Amino acid sequence: MHYLVYVSSARHLMDEEELLAILETSRSSNTNDYITGMLLYKDGSFMQVLEGEESTIERTYARIAKDRRHEGLILLRKGKTEKRYFPGWSMGFRSVNAEDLKNIPGFQNIKDGRFTDPAIVDNPHIAMTALKAFND
Ligand SMILES: Cc1cc2nc3c(=O)[nH]c(=O)nc-3n(C[C@H](O)[C@H](O)[C@H](O)COP(=O)(O)O)c2cc1C
């Protein structure tokens, strides 16, 4: 089992309808590909973890990277995992705000409030902690 985590910037602030459209396509193709994971959205930035077979998550990430709804993707981490952390989600989703993140270790130092902040990019474990925290 492999996983990868990235952050990116939306080209513009997303409304609920646009987020739902992303989720709908994601969930249907991830179900076919046995991919699970979690997508967080905050103030125009995304953080996503994909887990599944190595070639399928690589192929999916390549497709996501070409999507013009976001830009500036930064791959934070990829590797092997013994088990899925998000087994119940073809793609879990939370639109979060500062209040939601208040108690997540590491998020106190985020200055611009976006997932692409160096405080997160330079410390990918903060991203993993946040993604897992919203896995309920
Ligand atoms: C932030 C973000 C996350 C996405 N996550 C996924 C995903 O987990 N799985 C997926 O298949 N597509 C995801 N997509 C959509 C893909 O970029 C792409 O539009 C979709 O897979 C359809 O690709 P196609 O038009 O080449 O068939 C995501 C898009 C964005 C902007």
Side-chain angles (χ1 to χ4, degrees):
M1 186 67 44
H2 282 72
Y3 74 101
L4 70 77
V5 184
Y6 74 88
V7 289
S8 67
S9 302
R11 296 246 181 179
H12 57 257
L13 291 179
M14 299 270 129
D15 61 29
E16 204 169 315
E17 203 176 323
E18 290 171 297
L19 291 168
L20 278 175
I22 291 172
L23 270 182
E24 253 171 51
T25 10
S26 303
R27 285 177 172 160
S28 91
S29 72
N30 292 353
T31 301
N32 287 332
D33 289 339
Y34 302 105
I35 287 176
T36 51
M38 172 71 62
L39 175 66
L40 300 182
Y41 175 79
K42 177 175 189 289
D43 295 334
S45 64
F46 292 107
M47 175 186 286
Q48 187 174 29
V49 56
L50 302 171
E51 52 188 19
E53 210 229 311
E54 187 173 21
S55 60
T56 14
I57 61 169
E58 291 288 350
R59 184 156 27 90
T60 301
Y61 182 63
R63 216 169 53 232
I64 294 171
K66 281 193 267 170
D67 195 313
R68 295 183 52 80
R69 289 172 284 191
H70 63 169
E71 61 192 355
L73 280 76
I74 303 170
L75 184 61
L76 298 188
R77 192 174 264 194
K78 67 178 182 178
K80 275 191 178 179
T81 169
E82 289 298 313
K83 60 168 179 116
R84 289 180 193 265
Y85 281 95
F86 306 91
W89 292 109
S90 58
M91 190 47 63
F93 175 73
R94 278 286 297 271
S95 180
V96 299
N97 56 36
E99 181 68 14
D100 297 318
L101 295 168
K102 210 177 57 196
N103 298 318
I104 313 265
F107 273 87
Q108 291 70 26
N109 307 324
I110 310 301
K111 283 187 211 66
D112 75 358
R114 295 163 58 96
F115 294 139
T116 49
D117 190 289
I120 296 175
V121 172
D122 298 340
N123 300 283
H125 64 274
I126 294 177
M128 290 305 288
T129 307
L131 287 156
K132 286 175 189 164
F134 293 106
N135 183 20
D136 52 20

